[in-house]
């Protein structure tokens, strides 16, 4: 357990009994009731305020001796009033608030050109940013992009920061204030939405410079750091708005908490999360924090307990802690953050701080403090206090319910999530060494690398092993060493070859680096991936050893080192290098538990009872969470490893982007089910799904001149024939599939308009290609710079994205595009018997059907999506005909063979196809009402649940293992090895949810 977790648990032990005792004396209302009442009073206040504004051309800021103070452009607070109106619109859904927000937002358009202040981020994000998020109005977008450019002009590469104040050189040379962190979100947003990529680099540089220079050892922060504008040297550190330079000004601590929480959300850089958590600990455990959790204007303010409070600092803290509770990887910490945020929110919503309607000049909160040393805005209302209070209310309501967990909450420390099976215990190395030792090298070897997989492996039970490799086999190899420990700072990987290869490339598909081979080679940590790594060599040479190495300091003969395990049960050895003898001394050995081979199919049927369904869904959710790529330095950070390979005992293919779509929908839908959501911190699954979605957005091709403009990289295809073993593919249909299952649902769940805009851009690119080709090509080969000649049946599932876009926007052009897209496919691929051909090649013509279960499922998905978009078409009739064939070929146990009408002994069970068809039959049943379709769905789901893996490999637990020509989807890689696939689990989870819905409906009807 980390020291942070221990301290937070101690805070929880102290806090929760107090809450419980208070409840006995006077039961607290439900948090939802508190939120609703506070929003109602807030709306009343702002209605009163707008009616009493002396002019509609200025923004209310505060009260001065009972008189309203208003501001206009160039005041740093000018965006908070329209921002508060946007939050009132979000909280009430009343069009009058949207109209008011739009009116006052428009007054700030000129701020996009303001290069004289760092506060352009505050001003535009709160107004235009919220407007874009809530309405999708494209007119807001260029204002934000231009504002980001203006903000970037204040960045100095010499200092590594954005300048805050333009003051006299006698006063400041290059002042940077802690508040400035809050402006960085404008830059990261712009970098993702058509702005220059350097904007994100600027934001990270500023955050890192602030991290290095603003913080004290106790994690409190100075207000201002003044730098030499040429050398970047720190000239002085002061606290301009605090009681003293070494004091903890409350709002400054709030800005740092909020800022680094936001930067972790935006970048997934763990150092920002760690900083936010340290600041949270400083705030939550401060000995001079009042009992109601509303801080004094400065934690060190004189005159306590009668010193003025700062409700604005509390509102910022509460909002930040609600978000941090959903981002932290420690469930115990998440509970504590959320409980503290709730306590602050309840205090702010109490009569002590919440103004009565018609008082306080129409402002919502009382007792804010602006600048105490300047005797300005003391113990009164301030517009940014209202803004962050409303934001905290919205965030608390979105997360739902009360956060105070009972003492018996089933959360175990050391886990990534509340219900993931296993302890994931870190490796703790403690040694006593001679006093003259100053440092030693530790080496970590995973048992998973004792038999290292490679691209030329042939499964022992492959029915046609002679067909696997080309003849003659190229004289090259790709090895796949496993990293199953979290990479600490200073770690590197080491490769040891039998002989030195001529050429070596590590994870070339991501990094493009090629080296001259040596017998022993070091690989930097930032090049390494969690779990599977790709090591190409030419000529083919045996990779004899792979380990992780780190130099560890020894202090007074004591060595202590800890590294987290990615695996539930890590096994391997840890050795120490003896620098005198150059020999390795073993200091730890953990042997793997006996591995029992996985059974593929054949499990007895399982009844679809509610307990069985709940267990199956929980297991599916946990499998998907384990499959997530948590390596923050990876190009696919946050995404999914599409496969878990039981034979190699590693997760694989974080670069197979499109297949993550069903998992995203499964996580979002599962969180709507109480027995699932209560097992995790609030919005935990939504946040994980959002991370997966963002990983796909990050891999889009955004050069308008590129042939695949707007399309994300779909996957890296593998083959020993390819240069370095990989080939980048961007696929229109895959991207549309991803957008339908992931981006649009995430837009609906998070309100992040970036997902909607990405789907709209994708639809536009698809429309262009539909005009250019008779049938949209399957792939764009990025390295070859050409479109494929072929299109296969799975391309039909691209309608999914167009259907979702039409359902969300109601724009008729997307309905027509969905119709046209499907008609193009039917013209080339439909058959008289209701099946689809396998594909079409624009040079050679039809590729005849092979009756592959999964391929026909993709065709069915396209037909059902087309029917949902265009119900007046004949797509449902076509879907029923295809379903008739699949019902005929369904096996007695509910599964289908990989080739639907062939013998299972030759082709194996299609676990991916069975999970897919289970969901498709549920979907078809919704449209047809045909009991046969429901029966087929249930039979397939019963097979999926019965065959969820519960064997000796805990990483595969909850997955559904397949062993066919397409174990890892592509026939050229890991054919006939035992592999579980994330989208199989996603489809099975969604089918399980469908069955739960039907049973609930039936129960309610009875």
């Amino acid at each position: 357990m980390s020291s942070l977790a221990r301290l937070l648990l101690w805070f929880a032990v102290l806090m929760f009994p107090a809450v419980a005792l208070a409840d006995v004396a006077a039961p607290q209302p439900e948090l939802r009731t508190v939120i609703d009442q506070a929003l109602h009073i807030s709306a009343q206040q702002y209605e009163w305020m707008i009616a009493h504004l002396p002019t509609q051309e200025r923004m209310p800021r505060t009260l001065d001796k009972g008189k309203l103070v208003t501001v206009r452009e160039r005041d740093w607070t000018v965006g908070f009033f329209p921002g508060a109106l946007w939050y009132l619109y979000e909280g009430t859904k009343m069009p009058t608030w949207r109209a008011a927000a739009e009116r006052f937002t428009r007054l700030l358009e000129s701020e996009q050109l303001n290069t004289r202040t760092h506060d352009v981020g505050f001003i535009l994000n709160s107004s235009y940013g919220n407007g874009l998020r809530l309405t999708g109005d494209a007119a807001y977008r260029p204002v934000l992009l231009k504002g980001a450019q203006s903000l970037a002009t204040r960045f100095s590469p010499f200092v590594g920061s954005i300048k805050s104040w333009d003051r006299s050189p006698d006063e400041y040379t290059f002042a940077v204030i802690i508040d400035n962190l809050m402006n960085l979100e404008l830059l990261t947003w712009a970098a993702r939405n058509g702005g220059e990529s350097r904007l994100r680099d600027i934001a990270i540089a500023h955050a890192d410079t602030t991290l290095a220079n603003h913080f004290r050892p106790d994690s409190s922060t100075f207000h201002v750091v003044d730098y030499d504008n040429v050398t970047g040297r720190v000239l002085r550190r002061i606290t301009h708005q605090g009681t003293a330079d070494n004091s903890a000004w409350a709002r400054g601590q709030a800005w740092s908490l909020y800022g680094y929480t936001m930067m972790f959300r935006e970048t997934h850089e763990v150092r920002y999360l760690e900083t936010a958590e340290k600041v949270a600990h400083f705030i939550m455990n401060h000995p001079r924090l009042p009992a109601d959790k509303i801080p004094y204007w400065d934690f060190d303010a004189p005159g306590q307990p009668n010193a003025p409070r700062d409700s604005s600092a509390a509102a910022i803290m509460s909002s930040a802690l609600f978000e941090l509770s959903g981002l932290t990887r420690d469930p115990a910490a998440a509970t504590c953050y959320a409980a503290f945020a709730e306590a602050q929110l309840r205090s702010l919503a109490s009569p002590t701080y919440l103004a009565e309607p018609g008082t306080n000049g129409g402002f919502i909160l009382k007792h804010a403090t602006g600048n105490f040393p300047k005797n300005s805005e003391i113990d009164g209302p301030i517009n940014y206090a209202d803004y962050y209070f409303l934001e905290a209310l919205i965030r608390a309501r979105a997360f739902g319910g009360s956060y105070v967990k009972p003492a018996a909450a089933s959360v175990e420390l050391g886990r990534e999530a509340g219900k993931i099976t296993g302890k994931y215990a870190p490796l703790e190395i403690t040694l006593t060494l001679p006093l003259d030792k100053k440092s030693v090298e530790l080496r970590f070897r995973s048992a998973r690398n004792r038999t290292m997989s490679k691209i030329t492996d042939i499964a022992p039970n492959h029915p046609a092993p002679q067909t696997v490799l080309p003849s003659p086999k190229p004289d090259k190899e790709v090895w796949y060493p496993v990293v199953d420990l979290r990479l600490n700072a200073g770690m590197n990987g080491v490769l040891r070859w039998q002989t030195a290869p001529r050429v070596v490339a590590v994870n070339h598909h991501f990094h493009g680096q090629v080296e001259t081979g040596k017998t022993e080679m070091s690989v930097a940590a930032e090049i390494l991936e969690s779990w599977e790594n790709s090591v190409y060599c030419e000529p083919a040479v045996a990779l004899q050893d792979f380990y992780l190495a780190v130099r560890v300091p020894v202090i007074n003969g004591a060595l202590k080192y800890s590294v987290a395990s990615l695996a539930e049960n890590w096994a391997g050895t840890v050795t120490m290098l003896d620098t005198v003898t150059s020999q390795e001394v073993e200091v730890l050995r953990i042997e793997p538990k006996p591995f029992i081979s996985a059974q593929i199919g054949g499990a007895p049927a399982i009844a679809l009872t509610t307990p069985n369904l709940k267990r199956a869904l929980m297991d599916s959710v946990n499998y998907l969470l384990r499959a997530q790529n948590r390596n923050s330095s990876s190009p696919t950070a946050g995404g999914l490893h599409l496969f878990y390979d039981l034979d190699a005992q590693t997760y694989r293919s974080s670069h197979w982007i499109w297949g993550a779509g069903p998992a995203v929908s499964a996580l979002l839908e599962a969180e709507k089910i109480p027995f699932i959501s209560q097992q995790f911190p609030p919005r935990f699954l939504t946040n994980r799904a959002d991370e997966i979605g963002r990983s796909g957005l990050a891999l889009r091709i955004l050069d308008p001149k590129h042939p695949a403009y707007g399309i994300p990289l779909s996957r890296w295809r593998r083959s020993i024939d390819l240069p370095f073993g990989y080939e980048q593919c961007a696929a229109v249909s895959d991207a549309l599939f991803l957008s339908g299952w992931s981006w649009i649902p995430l837009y609906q769940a998070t309100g992040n308009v970036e997902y909607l805009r990405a789907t709209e851009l994708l639809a536009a690119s698809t429309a262009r290609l539909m005009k250019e080709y008779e049938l949209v090509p399957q792939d764009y080969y990025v390295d070859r710079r050409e479109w494929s000649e072929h299109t296969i049946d799975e391309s039909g599932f691209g309608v999914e994205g167009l259907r979702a876009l039409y359902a969300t926007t109601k724009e008729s052009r997307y309905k027509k595009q969905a119709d046209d897209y499907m008609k193009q496919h039917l013209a080339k691929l439909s058959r008289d018997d209701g099946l689809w051909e396998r594909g079409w090649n624009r040079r050679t013509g039809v590729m005849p059907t092979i009756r592959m279960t999964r391929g026909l499922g993709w065709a069915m998905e396209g037909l059902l999506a087309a029917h949902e978009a265009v119900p007046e078409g004949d797509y449902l009739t076509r879907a029923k005909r295809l379903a008739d064939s699949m019902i005929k070929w369904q096996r007695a146990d509910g599964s289908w063979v990989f080739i639907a009408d062939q013998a299972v002994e030759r082709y194996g069970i299609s676990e991916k196809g069975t999970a897919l068809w289970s969901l498709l039959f549920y979907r078809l049943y919704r449209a047809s009402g045909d009991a046969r379709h429901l029966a087929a769905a249930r039979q397939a789901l019963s097979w999926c649940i019965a065959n969820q893996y519960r064997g000796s490999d805990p990483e595969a637990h909850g997955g559904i293992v397949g062993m066919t020509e397409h174990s890892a989807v592509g026939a050229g890689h890991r054919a006939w090895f035992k592999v579980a696939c994330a989208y199989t689990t996603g489809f099975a989870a969604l089918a399980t949810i469908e069955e739960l819905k039907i049973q609930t409906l039936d129960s309610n009807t009875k």
Side-chain angles (χ1 to χ4, degrees):
M1 184 189 305
S2 69
S3 58
L4 173 63
R6 289 192 183 95
L7 288 166
L8 286 168
L9 279 180
W10 179 241
F11 159 77
V13 169
L14 291 175
M15 177 179 174
F16 290 171
V19 172
L21 288 172
D23 287 348
V24 173
Q28 296 188 87
E30 290 288 334
L31 179 59
R32 181 57 184 257
T33 301
V34 173
I35 294 168
D36 290 344
Q37 290 175 347
L39 281 171
H40 179 67
I41 292 173
S42 299
Q44 287 181 300
Q45 283 293 84
Y46 269 46
E47 285 174 3
W48 188 94
M49 180 188 285
I50 290 176
H52 289 81
L53 282 177
T55 173
Q56 298 289 307
E57 303 298 318
R58 297 173 66 90
M59 315 291 181
R61 171 169 171 154
T62 187
L63 289 181
D64 184 16
K65 298 177 182 179
K67 183 178 180 181
L68 182 67
V69 176
T70 60
V71 292
R72 57 183 306 160
E73 304 95 294
R74 303 304 168 103
D75 184 275
W76 79 274
T77 72
V78 75
F80 292 118
F81 179 65
L85 298 175
W86 282 119
Y87 278 136
L88 285 172
Y89 170 60
E90 184 173 8
T92 67
K93 303 303 181 187
M94 292 178 59
T96 52
W97 290 118
R98 172 173 176 170
E102 289 173 335
R103 184 169 74 253
F104 282 97
T105 294
R106 283 194 295 268
L107 299 177
L108 304 181
E109 185 174 1
S110 64
E111 287 298 305
Q112 66 182 302
L113 304 175
N114 188 351
T115 59
R116 298 176 60 185
T117 178
H118 67 158
D119 292 315
V120 67
F122 270 127
I123 295 167
L124 293 181
N125 259 341
S126 54
S127 55
Y128 279 84
N130 277 319
L132 179 60
R133 179 177 65 86
L134 293 172
T135 70
D137 187 342
Y140 293 146
R141 191 182 188 86
V143 175
L144 291 164
L145 290 172
K146 183 60 180 178
Q149 293 176 2
S150 297
L151 176 59
T153 65
R154 301 183 63 80
F155 177 74
S156 166
F158 303 106
V159 177
S161 284
I162 296 166
K163 188 177 184 181
S164 294
W165 295 334
D166 293 337
R167 301 284 178 87
S168 164
D170 296 335
E171 189 176 3
Y172 294 105
T173 303
F174 193 103
V176 177
I177 64 176
I178 194 67
D179 322 28
N180 205 338
L181 285 170
M182 304 291 285
N183 297 292
L184 303 183
E185 188 171 3
L186 178 62
L187 299 178
T188 58
W189 174 89
R192 292 196 311 272
N193 286 272
E196 299 172 278
S197 61
R198 72 181 185 94
L199 298 176
R200 184 179 188 273
D201 298 336
I202 289 173
I204 289 174
H206 181 99
D208 287 345
T209 302
T210 301
L211 184 56
N213 297 320
H214 263 76
F215 286 91
R216 307 182 182 106
D218 63 359
S219 296
S220 67
T221 178
F222 292 94
H223 180 198
V224 189
V225 175
D226 194 24
Y227 296 91
D228 185 298
N229 61 2
V230 176
T231 66
R233 179 173 60 90
V234 173
L235 300 177
R236 57 180 176 148
R237 297 178 174 90
I238 63 175
T239 301
H240 179 76
Q241 288 179 234
T243 192
D245 286 346
N246 62 352
S247 71
W249 172 50
R251 197 161 65 253
Q253 314 316 304
W255 292 140
S256 66
L257 172 65
Y258 193 113
Y260 281 106
T261 299
M262 173 271 295
M263 281 299 292
F264 175 69
R265 180 231 303 155
E266 291 292 295
T267 67
H268 305 293
E269 295 291 343
V270 175
R271 61 185 178 276
Y272 300 147
L273 174 63
E274 292 171 345
T275 301
E277 295 194 308
K278 289 175 183 177
V279 176
H281 172 254
F282 173 84
I283 292 169
M284 292 163 61
N285 294 281
H286 200 283
R288 288 186 290 280
L289 182 72
D292 66 359
K293 308 293 185 287
I294 310 302
Y296 300 106
W297 69 275
D298 191 305
F299 282 97
D300 303 298
Q304 299 180 22
N306 298 316
R309 303 291 188 90
D310 186 6
S311 59
S312 75
I316 298 161
M317 292 171 183
S318 179
S319 180
L321 286 168
F322 276 127
E323 179 167 38
L324 184 59
S325 72
L327 295 175
T328 181
R329 297 169 180 183
D330 185 336
T335 298
C336 295
Y337 299 148
F340 191 95
E342 179 178 333
Q344 286 186 310
L345 194 63
R346 286 181 181 274
S347 292
L348 291 172
S350 73
T352 303
Y353 297 95
L354 189 65
E356 293 183 8
T359 68
N360 206 37
F363 290 95
I364 299 166
L365 290 184
K366 303 178 286 186
H367 305 307
T369 298
N371 191 337
F372 189 92
K374 296 292 186 182
N375 196 32
S376 172
E377 300 176 330
I378 298 173
D379 195 27
I382 304 177
N383 59 11
Y384 49 82
D386 290 359
Y387 175 85
Y388 288 104
F389 175 63
L390 288 168
E391 182 178 79
L393 291 173
I394 296 296
R395 285 180 170 180
R397 190 174 73 171
F399 292 156
S402 176
Y403 282 93
V404 180
K405 299 285 186 183
S410 56
V411 174
E412 293 183 21
L413 295 173
R415 295 181 177 186
E416 290 276 343
K419 281 290 181 179
I420 292 182
T421 306
K423 296 179 180 178
Y424 295 86
L427 277 67
E428 303 280 355
I429 310 298
T430 303
L431 300 173
T432 301
L433 300 169
L435 290 174
D436 62 346
K437 288 283 187 186
K438 302 303 179 186
S439 68
V440 299
E441 181 176 285
L442 294 180
R443 296 176 174 179
F444 299 83
R445 287 180 173 86
S446 170
R448 287 179 163 85
N449 289 319
R450 292 176 183 173
T451 304
M452 203 179 301
S453 65
K454 58 188 185 298
I455 199 169
T456 57
D457 285 342
I458 300 175
N461 60 338
H462 197 298
Q466 72 281 1
T467 64
V468 174
L469 299 175
S471 181
K473 174 183 171 294
D475 190 12
K476 53 185 178 178
E477 188 60 271
V478 183
W479 295 90
Y480 299 115
V482 174
V483 172
D484 53 5
L485 295 174
R486 198 176 298 279
L487 294 165
N488 286 347
M491 269 188 169
N492 61 284
V494 178
L495 307 168
R496 284 184 175 172
W497 300 94
Q498 184 178 48
T499 59
R502 185 173 65 255
V503 173
V504 173
V506 180
N507 292 325
H508 182 275
H509 55 300
F510 285 156
H511 302 287
Q513 298 180 13
V514 180
E515 299 180 63
T516 301
K518 301 176 184 176
T519 305
E520 181 171 306
M521 303 177 69
S522 179
V523 183
E526 58 267 25
I527 298 296
L528 292 173
E529 290 289 306
S530 295
W531 295 102
E532 179 189 49
N533 288 267
S534 168
V535 180
Y536 173 89
C537 68
E538 190 178 327
V541 175
L543 181 56
Q544 293 185 319
D545 193 11
F546 174 80
Y547 59 86
L548 298 175
V550 63
R551 184 154 291 279
V552 181
V554 180
I555 301 175
N556 297 325
L559 180 150
K560 291 186 177 181
Y561 190 76
S562 176
V563 58
S565 172
L566 299 176
E568 178 176 329
N569 297 315
W570 189 84
T573 62
V574 182
T575 61
M576 179 181 70
L577 181 65
D578 186 327
T579 54
V580 176
T581 65
S582 296
Q583 298 297 310
E584 293 185 49
V585 178
E586 188 172 289
V587 298
L588 177 68
R589 173 177 288 270
I590 303 174
E591 285 300 319
K593 295 180 179 180
F595 180 73
I596 301 172
S597 182
Q599 177 177 325
I600 309 300
I606 283 186
L608 299 182
T609 63
T610 298
N612 286 341
L613 292 167
K614 286 184 174 181
R615 183 184 73 157
L617 183 56
M618 193 72 234
D619 288 346
S620 294
V621 167
N622 281 328
Y623 176 84
L624 295 174
L625 293 176
R626 286 195 302 274
Q628 192 174 13
N629 181 6
R630 308 302 293 170
N631 183 351
S632 60
S633 65
S634 169
T636 60
L640 279 189
H641 293 96
L642 192 62
F643 306 112
Y644 182 77
D645 187 326
L646 281 86
D647 288 304
Q649 292 185 275
T650 185
Y651 292 99
R652 293 189 183 275
S653 300
S654 71
H655 49 73
W656 207 280
I657 306 302
W658 69 268
V664 168
S665 280
L667 293 176
L668 293 175
E669 291 300 313
E671 194 162 57
K672 297 175 184 178
I673 300 175
F675 82 85
I676 295 289
S677 61
Q678 68 190 14
Q679 307 299 325
F680 299 95
R683 285 184 70 82
F684 183 86
L685 298 183
T686 294
N687 289 332
R688 285 293 191 92
D690 189 33
E691 290 175 356
I692 297 169
R694 286 172 181 264
S695 72
L697 290 180
L699 291 174
R700 288 177 296 156
I701 297 172
L702 293 178
D703 179 358
K705 298 179 181 178
H706 196 283
Y709 173 49
I711 304 170
L713 291 172
S714 168
R715 66 199 183 283
W716 272 261
R717 187 172 72 89
R718 306 190 204 213
S719 173
I720 189 63
D721 282 337
L722 295 170
F724 305 103
Y726 286 91
E727 180 173 53
Q728 293 185 66
C729 300
V732 173
S733 58
D734 290 354
L736 288 169
F737 174 95
L738 178 67
S739 67
W741 286 110
S742 173
W743 292 353
I744 293 297
L746 281 168
Y747 167 65
Q748 294 165 341
T750 68
N752 184 354
V753 75
E754 185 177 1
Y755 289 117
L756 178 61
R757 294 292 172 259
T759 308
E760 290 173 335
L761 176 58
L762 177 60
S765 296
T766 304
R768 171 176 54 81
L769 292 168
M770 288 170 64
K771 292 179 180 178
E772 188 173 345
Y773 295 95
E774 291 180 81
L775 190 58
V776 173
Q778 188 67 36
D779 292 307
Y780 181 80
Y781 300 124
V782 177
D783 301 314
R784 292 190 239 166
R785 301 182 182 180
E786 64 182 20
W787 290 100
S788 65
E789 293 182 341
H790 73 282
T791 303
I792 59 176
D793 48 14
E794 74 178 52
S795 178
F797 66 23
V799 184
E800 198 73 79
L802 300 172
R803 171 206 60 77
L805 188 57
Y806 170 59
T808 299
T809 65
K810 307 301 182 186
E811 293 189 28
S812 58
R813 57 179 168 144
Y814 296 128
K815 174 179 180 177
K816 183 178 186 306
Q817 187 176 0
D819 194 23
D820 291 344
Y821 184 94
M822 179 49 68
K823 285 177 178 175
Q824 284 189 351
H825 283 73
L826 291 173
K828 300 297 183 184
L829 301 179
S830 66
R831 291 165 47 98
D832 292 341
D833 60 4
L835 304 181
W836 279 31
E837 305 291 5
R838 176 56 176 155
W840 182 78
N841 186 297
R842 63 177 183 269
R843 182 172 55 84
T844 61
V846 168
M847 302 158 59
T849 183
I850 59 172
R851 295 179 175 82
M852 185 175 74
T853 293
R854 192 177 75 252
L856 293 173
W858 298 139
M860 173 64 97
E861 181 181 352
L863 290 171
L864 291 175
H867 167 68
E868 290 163 13
V870 193
E872 64 272 20
D874 66 347
Y875 302 122
L876 182 58
T877 300
R878 290 176 178 273
K880 290 177 181 178
R881 287 196 66 201
L882 179 51
D884 288 343
S885 294
M886 297 308 296
I887 289 173
K888 178 177 64 177
W889 293 326
Q890 189 174 23
R891 301 176 72 235
D893 64 0
S895 68
W896 281 271
V897 179
F898 176 70
I899 301 299
D901 63 345
Q902 297 298 308
V904 68
E905 294 78 12
R906 170 64 181 85
Y907 290 98
I909 292 174
S910 176
E911 87 295 349
K912 300 178 188 69
T914 300
L916 170 61
W917 272 102
S918 177
L919 180 61
L920 291 172
F921 270 115
Y922 277 112
R923 193 169 172 180
L924 179 59
Y925 171 67
R926 286 204 310 264
S928 71
D930 189 331
R932 295 181 309 132
H933 299 154
L934 179 59
R938 284 174 163 167
Q939 272 189 285
L941 179 59
S942 177
W943 183 92
C944 290
I945 293 176
N947 287 279
Q948 275 186 308
Y949 180 81
R950 295 186 176 88
S952 60
D953 189 338
E955 300 303 324
H957 188 93
I960 303 174
V961 181
M963 189 171 61
T964 68
E965 183 71 18
H966 283 198
S967 292
V969 178
H973 178 64
R974 305 301 288 175
W976 291 95
F977 284 98
K978 293 181 282 292
V979 177
C981 175
Y983 74 61
T984 306
T985 301
F987 283 132
L990 289 166
T992 305
I993 292 169
E994 288 295 318
E995 179 61 28
L996 284 167
K997 289 178 181 177
I998 290 173
Q999 292 190 12
T1000 300
L1001 181 63
D1002 289 347
S1003 176
N1004 292 339
T1005 302
K1006 292 175 183 177

